[in-house]
């Protein structure tokens, strides 16, 4: 599912779908990048989209802990 065949003369407002299956080999946070190109007789435009993919718990060290009172906006006190 890496490439989508060109759609000749799509009707305005028509949804063009593409399915991609991702099979991760490890937990973490990854980025899926998709580029969409549109060509007309007068112009050519390409847009890139970055889609975050979180597998499992993501990054364990980046996840906030329920008892963490030292982060931004925390109401607890912090001692040196």
């Amino acid at each position: 599912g890496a490439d989508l065949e060109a759609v000749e003369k799509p009707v305005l407002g028509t949804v063009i779908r593409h399915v991609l299956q991702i099979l991760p080999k490890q937990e973490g946070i990854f980025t899926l990048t998709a580029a969409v190109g549109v060509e007309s007789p007068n112009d050519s435009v390409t847009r890139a989209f970055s889609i975050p993919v979180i597998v499992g718990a993501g990054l364990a060290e980046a996840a906030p802990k329920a008892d963490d009172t030292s982060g931004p906006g925390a109401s607890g006190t912090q001692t040196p």
Side-chain angles (χ1 to χ4, degrees):
D3 292 325
L4 177 67
E5 291 185 30
V7 178
E8 298 294 327
K9 298 183 180 181
V11 177
L12 183 65
T14 301
V15 175
I16 300 171
R17 296 189 188 277
H18 185 70
V19 176
L20 181 68
Q21 184 176 8
I22 302 170
L23 300 172
K25 294 183 179 180
Q26 64 186 38
E27 290 189 359
I29 300 174
F30 305 92
T31 303
L32 172 69
T33 303
V36 178
V38 177
E39 295 181 11
S40 70
N42 302 325
D43 200 8
S44 177
V45 178
T46 301
R47 298 281 190 257
F49 300 89
S50 294
I51 305 163
V53 178
I54 302 172
V55 179
L59 299 174
E61 61 273 7
K65 297 178 183 173
D67 61 349
D68 186 2
T69 58
S70 61
S75 59
T77 57
Q78 190 174 8
T79 55

